[in-house]
Amino acid sequence: WEALAHNEYVEQLSIKNSNIRDEEIEALSLALMNNTSITHLWLADNAITSEGAEFLIETLESNEKIRMLDLSRNPGIDDDIEDEMRDILESRGSEYRGGSSEALSVVGGLIQRVQDN
């Protein structure tokens, strides 16, 4: 991850469905603190919990270059942590795609359709 700290070329980073855990998110977050090129970060379908999301909050607070963060389908992230990330990004006109709540709302909608039929 250290190479990302001084990266000047990569603007979008996708690490979806890679079994990324909180320990890797901590290292990635540190690398992104001063990165000035990455604007989009896709981390969907991993094993990130609220602990890892807290590291990302610190990164978002220090790095305003990140314009889009996708943490969808990471069911270990508490709603209040998701709300904090969403607030940080939306306050600067950026986009957040949620973790567990989006996945649960989709599942809930499917369950409701099955029950209605």
Side-chain angles (χ1 to χ4, degrees):
W1 301 118
E2 191 174 319
L4 286 175
H6 306 290
N7 163 66
E8 297 178 5
Y9 304 102
V10 176
E11 294 178 356
Q12 300 184 16
L13 182 62
S14 177
I15 315 172
K16 296 189 281 186
N17 199 23
S18 299
N19 201 32
I20 297 290
R21 299 185 181 281
D22 295 334
E23 297 80 21
E24 289 92 5
I25 291 300
E26 179 180 15
L28 175 62
S29 294
L30 288 172
L32 293 175
M33 287 280 200
N34 297 311
N35 179 287
T36 59
S37 65
I38 293 186
T39 59
H40 292 68
L41 188 57
W42 286 274
L43 298 170
D45 299 302
N46 281 295
I48 301 167
T49 70
S50 292
E51 181 182 343
E54 290 278 1
F55 294 118
L56 290 169
I57 287 172
E58 291 177 31
T59 300
L60 293 174
E61 290 173 338
S62 68
N63 182 343
E64 293 191 12
K65 294 288 184 176
I66 298 173
R67 309 302 291 165
M68 196 286 298
L69 173 62
D70 181 357
L71 284 171
S72 55
R73 293 173 305 282
N74 280 288
I77 302 173
D78 294 334
D79 289 342
D80 58 329
I81 301 294
E82 283 193 63
D83 291 343
E84 188 172 350
M85 286 187 288
R86 182 177 288 109
D87 290 345
I88 292 168
L89 286 164
E90 288 180 355
S91 72
R92 58 185 185 219
S94 299
E95 179 183 359
Y96 173 74
R97 296 180 189 168
S100 59
S101 61
E102 280 189 19
L104 291 176
S105 67
V106 169
V107 170
L110 292 173
I111 290 171
Q112 185 61 46
R113 280 191 233 153
V114 168
Q115 289 174 344
D116 290 345
N117 292 327

